[in-house]
Amino acid sequence: MRRSVNQPDRKTYFIADAHLGADTSEHERLKEQYISSFLQTFPLNDSRLLICGDLFDFWFEYRHAVPRRHFHVLAQLARLCRSGVPIDYIAGNHDFWLGSFLQKEIGMTLHRDDMILFQGQQRIYIRHGDGLLKKDHLYRLLKKILRFRPNIFLYRLLHPDLGIPLALFFSHLSRG
């Protein structure tokens, strides 16, 4: 369901396709430092943050565990939310399994597919962009399969020490 957000007096900042955790290279470390620095210095007054999908290369919420590799970024996002900065997260093609953690514990507003932002007289349609091409039939089918609640339940049965590396492996394969 598309939600509309009206924020006429806020400056809007965007992050998209960061894919934190995609690999262990020096480039990855620098990317995480850059985003961390951006969040640490984010303006708290009259600003908002829109994350347009795939902040993490893989995200799955187990009932009692989240990927610890992203703890510092999650803590900074929670600090921004507590400071009154609205953060909207639009699910991307690596965000099939967003649950309630980012919303309840961090304070973000989640959007499964898209959102409309009203900024002054402007009406802005925002979407991650995956699955928009007519030829993306197989991807749209995969998306339905991965978001199917019984499949999420079954994946949750895997221990995080197995489930997270397995998902990262397939995520890496999809890049090729």
Side-chain angles (χ1 to χ4, degrees):
M1 180 167 107
R2 181 178 307 148
R3 283 187 268 177
S4 298
V5 178
N6 189 4
Q7 293 291 322
D9 298 326
R10 292 194 181 267
K11 190 171 190 176
T12 303
Y13 295 85
F14 293 85
I15 296 177
D17 287 301
H19 290 274
L20 296 177
D23 59 51
T24 58
S25 69
E26 179 67 14
H27 176 263
E28 176 73 15
R29 190 181 64 74
L30 291 173
K31 179 175 57 173
E32 289 185 26
Q33 284 180 347
Y34 177 78
I35 289 176
S36 216
S37 174
F38 170 73
L39 294 174
Q40 286 173 358
T41 60
F42 193 86
L44 300 179
N45 297 326
D46 300 325
S47 298
R48 74 175 304 109
L49 177 61
L50 268 78
I51 301 171
C52 297
D54 300 349
L55 178 61
F56 309 107
D57 197 53
F58 166 73
W59 182 264
F60 185 82
E61 295 180 20
Y62 289 92
R63 280 185 179 68
H64 304 288
V66 294
R68 75 179 190 174
R69 182 174 184 181
H70 307 304
F71 176 79
H72 297 291
V73 171
L74 293 169
Q76 290 168 0
L77 291 168
R79 177 188 60 82
L80 289 176
C81 287
R82 283 192 311 273
S83 297
V85 174
I87 301 177
D88 291 274
Y89 195 114
I90 301 166
N93 56 316
H94 287 245
D95 299 319
F96 293 120
W97 294 328
L98 293 174
S100 63
F101 179 83
L102 295 176
Q103 200 162 9
K104 290 181 180 175
E105 303 301 325
I106 303 299
M108 297 184 205
T109 301
L110 298 181
H111 305 270
R112 289 283 169 206
D113 292 304
D114 57 10
M115 69 178 277
I116 296 175
L117 175 67
F118 289 94
Q119 193 118 13
Q121 298 297 319
Q122 297 288 327
R123 181 176 176 220
I124 306 164
Y125 178 74
I126 304 169
R127 183 178 175 126
H128 179 70
D130 57 301
L132 292 177
L133 298 176
K134 287 184 181 182
K135 66 180 181 176
D136 284 345
H137 299 294
L138 289 176
Y139 170 72
R140 286 194 293 271
L141 175 63
L142 175 65
K143 190 174 183 177
K144 287 180 181 181
I145 291 168
L146 291 174
R147 286 188 177 178
F148 188 55
R149 288 198 184 276
N151 292 339
I152 295 169
F153 171 81
L154 291 172
Y155 196 86
R156 190 171 278 125
L157 295 176
L158 292 175
H159 189 278
D161 288 348
L162 178 62
I164 292 171
L166 180 65
L168 288 172
F169 171 78
F170 283 110
S171 174
H172 184 72
L173 279 182
S174 73
R175 242 183 284 296

